[in-house]
Amino acid sequence: MNEELKFEVMEIDENSRKKKKTSFFQKAKNLDLKTVFFLIFLYILQGIPVGTSGAIPLILTTKKIAYSHQGIYSLTRWPFSVRILWAPIIDRFFIKKIGRRKTWIFFCQFTSGILFLCTASPIDAALNMPKANIEDDIFILTAVFGALVFLSASNDITLDAWSIDLLSE
């Protein structure tokens, strides 16, 4: 009787090993290509505010803005460093009709787009001003791009979670 039990246990172990052998590429074949390309598109969109905010220090350097002001502007990078603090909030609150991940993706993308549209002209004007005026407007630049990077970091949290959900299916 003990032999039968051992045989059954071994059979369960073999079945569990077969289930674990599905590789990343096998899972990727089963994914809908539209979904994968949509995720790639969303990741590219998420990178636009980060890339734009990363170009501003180059502009400030060419205009010979003081390093102390550039240091203030560097605070815009903090949201990506501390996003783990608000990740549980993003995971907890959502609109059920839209979905757990899509609620935040829509909110972050829509708000980033509106913020870009509303601040494009004032930021362009601020960056084309003389050095003294840019130093006065450094806090405005920091606030605008800090908000954009915050939204981008929040979007990254959601997209990463959605990607994991899709790959785990």
Side-chain angles (χ1 to χ4, degrees), residues 16 20 27 35-36 38 41 47-48 53 64 69 92-93 107 112 119 133 140 146 159 169:
S16 64
K20 291 180 183 178
K27 288 181 182 180
T35 306
V36 172
F38 186 62
F41 175 71
I48 292 172
S53 70
K64 302 200 186 324
H69 290 92
R92 174 70 176 106
F93 297 105
F107 172 75
S112 292
T119 60
N133 291 347
I140 294 169
L159 282 177
E169 290 177 356

Side-chain angles (χ1 to χ4, degrees), residues 9-154:
V9 170
M10 289 179 67
E11 188 173 320
I12 291 172
D13 288 340
E14 287 176 20
N15 287 336
S16 64
R17 276 190 236 141
K18 287 178 183 177
K19 288 181 183 178
K20 291 180 183 178
K21 285 187 178 181
T22 57
S23 70
F24 170 77
F25 295 108
Q26 289 171 341
K27 288 181 182 180
K29 286 180 184 177
N30 296 335
L31 286 177
D32 184 20
L33 282 179
K34 289 179 184 178
T35 306
V36 172
F37 284 121
F38 186 62
L39 272 173
I40 291 169
F41 175 71
L42 288 174
Y43 274 114
I44 290 170
L45 281 179
Q46 161 192 314
I48 292 172
V50 176
T52 306
S53 70
I56 299 295
L58 300 173
I59 296 170
L60 296 176
T61 301
T62 59
K63 296 208 176 252
K64 302 200 186 324
I65 302 298
Y67 289 126
S68 61
H69 290 92
Q70 291 186 36
I72 292 168
Y73 180 79
S74 71
L75 293 175
T76 60
R77 295 298 190 182
W78 273 63
F80 264 97
S81 300
V82 294
R83 65 185 168 185
I84 194 169
L85 298 177
W86 70 90
I89 295 169
I90 287 176
D91 202 38
R92 174 70 176 106
F93 297 105
F94 60 94
I95 300 169
K96 288 184 182 180
K97 285 185 177 181
I98 298 173
R100 179 180 298 269
R101 311 295 181 214
K102 292 176 186 173
T103 298
W104 286 99
I105 292 170
F106 176 76
F107 172 75
C108 293
Q109 291 293 337
F110 183 76
T111 309
S112 292
I114 295 297
L115 192 58
F116 256 127
L117 288 173
C118 293
T119 60
S121 182
I123 287 174
D124 184 46
L127 290 175
N128 288 324
M129 290 182 175
K131 178 181 174 181
N133 291 347
I134 292 177
E135 289 180 350
D136 292 340
D137 292 339
I138 198 72
F139 293 105
I140 294 169
L141 285 171
T142 303
V144 168
F145 282 103
L148 284 169
V149 172
F150 175 81
L151 289 168
S152 185
S154 300

